[in-house]
């Protein structure tokens, strides 16, 4: 009986600790949005159809997939939950953001991204096509605490592409 109480207390403490970590880790981040409207008359901050316009900078939610629950938690804690998509006449570029160097060297389909730094965010920019956005984007990133690369994928939610620039 005493062992069951101790095991129950340990499990309870672990659950409370996990809850505290989830509450303390804010991965929403903000890519920043201009105010007013763009040259097409679209309001910044509004949800837009990226296929309907030629240019724009969008903030898009994504879902982490193809990894363990622990992997999803780690990526969720160390990376922002939105990507930036730049659509121009020249093509499309997707930027995946991390909070710090704990998660680094992000690759998309084994291609190294161009490393950038914006405010408190570290990003990796990749040239992509519109067709790429319809599929899972296979990614890897180096986790310094584990001293190894982890593989995962993301699915972008194009129905919620928010115009930010």
């Amino acid at each position: 009986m005493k062992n069951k109480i101790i095991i129950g207390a340990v499990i309870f403490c672990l659950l409370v600790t996990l809850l505290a970590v989830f509450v303390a880790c804010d991965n929403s981040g903000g890519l920043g949005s201009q105010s007013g409207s763009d040259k097409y008359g679209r309001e910044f901050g509004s949800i837009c159809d990226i296929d309907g316009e030629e240019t724009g900078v969008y903030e898009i939610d994504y879902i982490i997939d193809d990894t363990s629950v622990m992997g999803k938690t780690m990526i969720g804690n160390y990376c922002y939950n939105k990507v930036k998509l730049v659509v121009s006449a020249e093509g499309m570029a997707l930027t995946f953001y991390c909070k710090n160097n704990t998660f680094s060297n992000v690759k998309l389909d084994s291609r190294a991204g161009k490393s950038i730094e914006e405010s408190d965010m570290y990003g990796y920019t990749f040239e992509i096509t519109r067709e790429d956005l319809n599929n899972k984007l296979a990614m890897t990133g180096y986790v310094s605490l584990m001293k190894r690369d982890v593989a995962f994928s993301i699915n972008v939610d194009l129905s919620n592409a928010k115009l930010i620039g």
Side-chain angles (χ1 to χ4, degrees), residues 95-116:
T95 304
F96 183 84
Y97 290 98
C98 303
K99 291 183 180 178
N100 56 42
N101 288 325
T102 303
F103 194 81
S104 60
N105 298 326
V106 176
K107 295 178 182 173
L108 173 64
D109 293 327
S110 302
R111 294 179 291 142
K114 178 183 172 192
S115 180
I116 61 167

Side-chain angles (χ1 to χ4, degrees), residues 16-106:
V16 168
T17 302
L18 284 173
L19 179 62
V21 167
F22 284 120
V23 170
C25 294
D26 174 21
N27 70 346
S28 59
L31 300 180
S33 180
Q34 299 179 23
S35 60
S37 58
D38 70 356
K39 65 183 180 180
Y40 300 107
R42 301 175 299 175
E43 291 293 318
F44 291 115
S46 64
I47 303 298
C48 295
D49 177 7
I50 67 164
D51 291 325
E53 304 298 337
E54 295 177 15
T55 62
V57 180
Y58 304 91
E59 175 182 84
I60 305 174
D61 295 330
Y62 65 87
I63 297 169
I64 303 165
D65 203 359
D66 296 328
T67 189
S68 66
V69 172
M70 179 185 248
K72 289 178 183 181
T73 301
M74 289 182 75
I75 295 163
N77 287 340
Y78 295 120
C79 302
Y80 289 100
N81 64 354
K82 298 180 186 314
V83 293
K84 180 170 73 174
L85 180 68
V86 177
V87 179
S88 69
E90 292 81 36
M92 293 183 169
L94 179 116
T95 304
F96 183 84
Y97 290 98
C98 303
K99 291 183 180 178
N100 56 42
N101 288 325
T102 303
F103 194 81
S104 60
N105 298 326
V106 176

